[in-house]
Amino acid sequence: MEYREIKTVGVVGTGLIGASWAAFFLARGFRVVATDPAPDAQAKLRNFIGKAWPALNRLGVTADSAPREPIFADTLEDCVSQADFIQESGPERADIKHDTYVKMDALAAPDVILASSTSGFRPSQLQQGCRHPGRILVGHPFNPPHIVPLVEVVGGAATDAAALDHAESFYKSLGKITIRVRRELTGHVSNRLQAALWREAYHLVASGAVTAAEVDAAIAHGPGLRWALMGPMLLGELGGGEGGMRHFLDHIGPLIERIWAEQGQTELTSEVKNTLVDSTSAEMAGLDPAAMLQERDTLLVDLINAKARARNLP
């Protein structure tokens, strides 16, 4: 199958992730047709795009000082019928996903790729009951997609190789950093890595070893600073000195194995959830969530721009 040139992007679902995608596609010069059944979706989308535009300008994604306007379609059919590529970001519910993909598959031309932002569903699940499953795949972004460059591209059992290549090429042409996940996994790759950290972080707080604030400090002011620059594999290579990764594994490996053996298995019971919520609430005392989000996005842009200027970082 040869997939069509992309000039109009359909954004299905305009919640937090879909709105962020819409802003990004608009900033990259694409015509965007969006749809969402929520009664106030159109106003919220325009509001989000207006707030996102300064960050997009600072990233150099757009030369336009004023936000561009998306086209808001009242129905899924109206949205899908106009699109050359569809980025779906609807609710993470199996019944809604299945119904949406069966409908989109019936409405969209066979040479239009249907990409999902899903963080949890496997593409093979999205393909069930569809007549053209070869063009269905996952293009999972990291939040917020209009700032963070990572996109995980995942194919299902029936996905065409050409569809994966076309989608990955499209994302890369927009300045995204893609990884091709070569087999289906629950949560794909980045969320699985996060989940491994969450498991131990939640265990440490729930067991009383540290507070939520102390866990956050341990990451944000320690290894998190290095992780923002490069991943654990390259950090292992550099951490091993002249011996590189081999020396790192030989030298630190026994300690890593002892830590693995002692790491906790924490179930998210009501008691554990209450402990985590209470400890995090104590950390948030006196902080302004809206201001934190704004500062987060500002610093993310600063970091991304700084990394773009670096010569020897991947």
Side-chain angles (χ1 to χ4, degrees), residues 9 11 21-30 32 87 170-171 174:
V9 179
V11 174
W21 267 125
F24 180 76
F25 290 133
L26 284 169
R28 280 298 186 183
F30 289 89
V32 171
Q87 186 75 40
F170 174 57
Y171 290 130
L174 307 180

Side-chain angles (χ1 to χ4, degrees), residues 28-246:
R28 280 298 186 183
F30 289 89
R31 178 175 178 263
V32 171
V33 182
T35 190
D36 191 295
D40 55 351
Q42 185 173 1
K44 285 186 174 180
L45 175 60
R46 286 179 174 169
N47 183 56
F48 183 97
I49 291 170
K51 290 182 177 179
W53 216 252
L56 288 162
N57 277 318
R58 289 186 58 227
L59 283 168
V61 173
T62 176
D64 298 333
S65 58
R68 300 183 64 191
E69 284 288 319
I71 299 167
F72 201 88
D74 292 330
T75 65
L76 181 65
E77 180 178 7
D78 189 23
C79 174
V80 170
S81 64
Q82 299 183 59
D84 303 315
F85 182 95
I86 295 168
Q87 186 75 40
E88 174 272 322
S89 305
E92 290 285 287
R93 281 179 44 185
D95 56 339
I96 294 177
K97 289 288 189 194
H98 181 261
D99 182 61
T100 299
Y101 273 85
V102 169
K103 288 180 178 177
M104 290 195 301
D105 182 60
L107 295 168
D111 61 348
V112 173
I113 287 175
L114 310 182
S116 179
S117 299
T118 181
S119 57
F121 288 101
R122 301 184 182 202
S124 290
Q125 294 173 275
L126 306 178
Q127 294 170 343
Q128 293 175 5
C130 294
R131 294 181 299 170
H132 307 285
R135 42 80 172 274
I136 297 174
L137 53 88
V138 165
H140 174 240
F142 234 55
N143 187 29
H146 70 280
I147 295 177
V148 181
L150 180 66
V151 179
E152 299 175 316
V153 179
V154 193
T159 306
D160 294 333
L164 291 168
D165 291 341
H166 193 64
E168 190 167 17
S169 177
F170 174 57
Y171 290 130
K172 285 182 175 179
S173 74
L174 307 180
K176 292 295 188 182
I177 305 298
T178 64
I179 64 170
R180 180 79 69 92
V181 184
R182 290 165 180 79
R183 64 185 178 90
E184 296 181 86
L185 301 164
T186 300
H188 318 312
V189 170
S190 295
N191 278 334
R192 292 174 71 92
L193 293 171
Q194 285 195 125
L197 177 61
W198 291 333
R199 183 174 70 176
E200 185 62 12
Y202 295 168
H203 169 73
L204 291 171
V205 174
S207 66
V210 287
T211 65
E214 289 164 337
V215 162
D216 285 345
I219 296 300
H221 303 291
L225 292 172
R226 294 184 302 196
W227 292 339
L229 304 177
M230 62 190 75
M233 312 307 282
L234 286 180
L235 285 170
E237 177 70 19
L238 296 181
E242 293 183 1
M245 182 62 117
R246 175 65 64 183

Side-chain angles (χ1 to χ4, degrees), residues 54-61 147 149 297-310:
L56 288 162
N57 277 318
R58 289 186 58 227
L59 283 168
V61 173
I147 295 177
D297 289 354
T298 298
L299 291 172
L300 279 174
V301 171
D302 289 343
L303 177 60
I304 290 169
N305 284 337
K307 289 183 69 174
R309 294 191 295 269

